[in-house]
Amino acid sequence: MAAPLRRAAAAAAGWAAARRYRAAPLRRSLDGEYRPDAADRRTPPWQLEARYEARRFGRWGAAAAVAAGRLWPGPRRLRQLEAEEREWCPALRDLQAALERSERLTEQRRVERTQRVAAALERLPGLVAAWRRGRAAARERARAEGARRAAALAAAAGGVPGGGEDPRARAALLDDLERQRRRQEKRRRREARLEAARQALAAAHQAAAAAPPPQ
C-alpha cells in the first residue's frame, strides 16, 4: 500500500514542478524575427545559418518571421551562381560552337592520319627493297668472311705442325689473324683520315692563294 502512495506523491511533485517552470522569452529583433545568441548553447549551430532561415521561409512563408529580402543572395554570391550556371548549364550557342570545334578537330585528325598512311604506303616498296638489299649484302659479307677465315686458317696451318687438326691451335691461329686484321684496318682508316686532312688543307691553301688581295 505504501508503494503506490509513494509513486503518486512523486508524480504529484513532478507535475507541480512542471507547472512552476516558465520558459525564457524569445529574443526578437526590431523586425520581429527570433535572433538566438551565438553563445546560447541550447541552439544548434546549423540553426544559426542563413540556409536554415531560407528553409524555414520556404516551409512556413510569412509565418516563419523571416525577412525575405535578406534571403536574396548578394552580388558576390550572384556572380558565383552565374559562373556555376555557365559552367554546368552552358547556352545552346556555346554548345553548338563546342560541337563544331570538336567535329573540325576530329576531321582534321582523320585527314592527317589518312595522309600519313598514304605516305607510308608509298614508301613501303622502297623500304622493302632496301631491307632485302641489306639482308643480301649481310649474307654476302658473312660468306666472304667465312671464306676469308677458312683461307687464312688453311694458309696459317700449313706452317704449323698439327695446326689444322688441333681445335685449340686452330682457335689461337684465328685469334692472331683476327687481331692482325683489326690492326691493319685501324691503320688503313687512320691513313685515310690523314690523307683527307692533307687534301683539305692543301685545298684551303690553294683557295687562299687564288683569292684576290683585299682592297
Side-chain angles (χ1 to χ4, degrees):
M1 189 67 183
L5 289 177
R6 283 196 299 269
R7 287 197 296 268
W15 178 255
R19 292 192 64 181
R20 286 196 303 269
Y21 173 74
R22 293 293 183 270
L26 296 178
R27 293 183 295 273
R28 296 184 179 276
S29 59
L30 295 179
D31 56 0
E33 183 182 358
Y34 172 54
R35 296 289 186 180
D37 191 0
D40 190 356
R41 298 183 180 179
R42 295 173 300 177
T43 304
W46 57 272
Q47 291 186 4
L48 303 177
E49 300 177 355
R51 184 177 181 181
Y52 174 69
E53 295 182 350
R55 292 179 62 184
R56 281 200 306 158
F57 182 81
R59 183 175 183 181
W60 303 107
V66 176
R70 293 189 304 102
L71 301 179
W72 187 259
R76 181 178 180 182
R77 180 57 181 166
L78 278 177
R79 288 193 295 269
Q80 293 177 356
L81 292 175
E82 291 175 355
E84 292 178 0
E85 184 178 1
R86 286 193 299 269
E87 180 180 1
W88 296 103
C89 302
L92 179 59
R93 180 172 50 193
D94 299 337
L95 290 176
Q96 291 178 347
L99 181 60
E100 291 176 357
R101 287 194 300 270
S102 177
E103 291 178 351
R104 286 196 300 270
L105 182 59
T106 303
E107 181 64 19
Q108 180 180 359
R109 291 176 177 174
R110 188 190 64 80
V111 171
E112 292 177 355
R113 182 177 180 276
T114 304
Q115 292 176 354
R116 289 195 301 269
V117 170
L121 290 176
E122 290 180 359
R123 295 193 304 269
L124 185 60
L127 295 175
V128 172
W131 175 78
R132 288 177 177 175
R133 288 194 299 270
R135 186 177 62 173
R139 289 178 178 177
E140 185 63 27
R141 286 195 301 269
R143 284 195 296 268
E145 182 66 16
R148 184 190 63 78
R149 290 170 66 89
L153 180 61
V160 178
E165 300 176 358
D166 190 0
R168 289 180 296 180
R170 186 183 299 111
L173 285 174
L174 286 176
D175 292 340
D176 293 339
L177 292 174
E178 188 67 23
R179 283 195 294 271
Q180 292 178 8
R181 187 186 68 80
R182 286 198 295 267
R183 284 196 295 268
Q184 293 174 1
E185 184 67 21
K186 289 182 180 178
R187 186 183 304 109
R188 185 185 63 78
R189 289 198 297 265
R190 184 169 59 252
E191 291 176 356
R193 288 195 298 269
L194 291 176
E195 182 63 24
R198 283 195 295 267
Q199 292 179 1
L201 183 60
H205 285 310
Q206 292 178 1
Q215 299 295 332

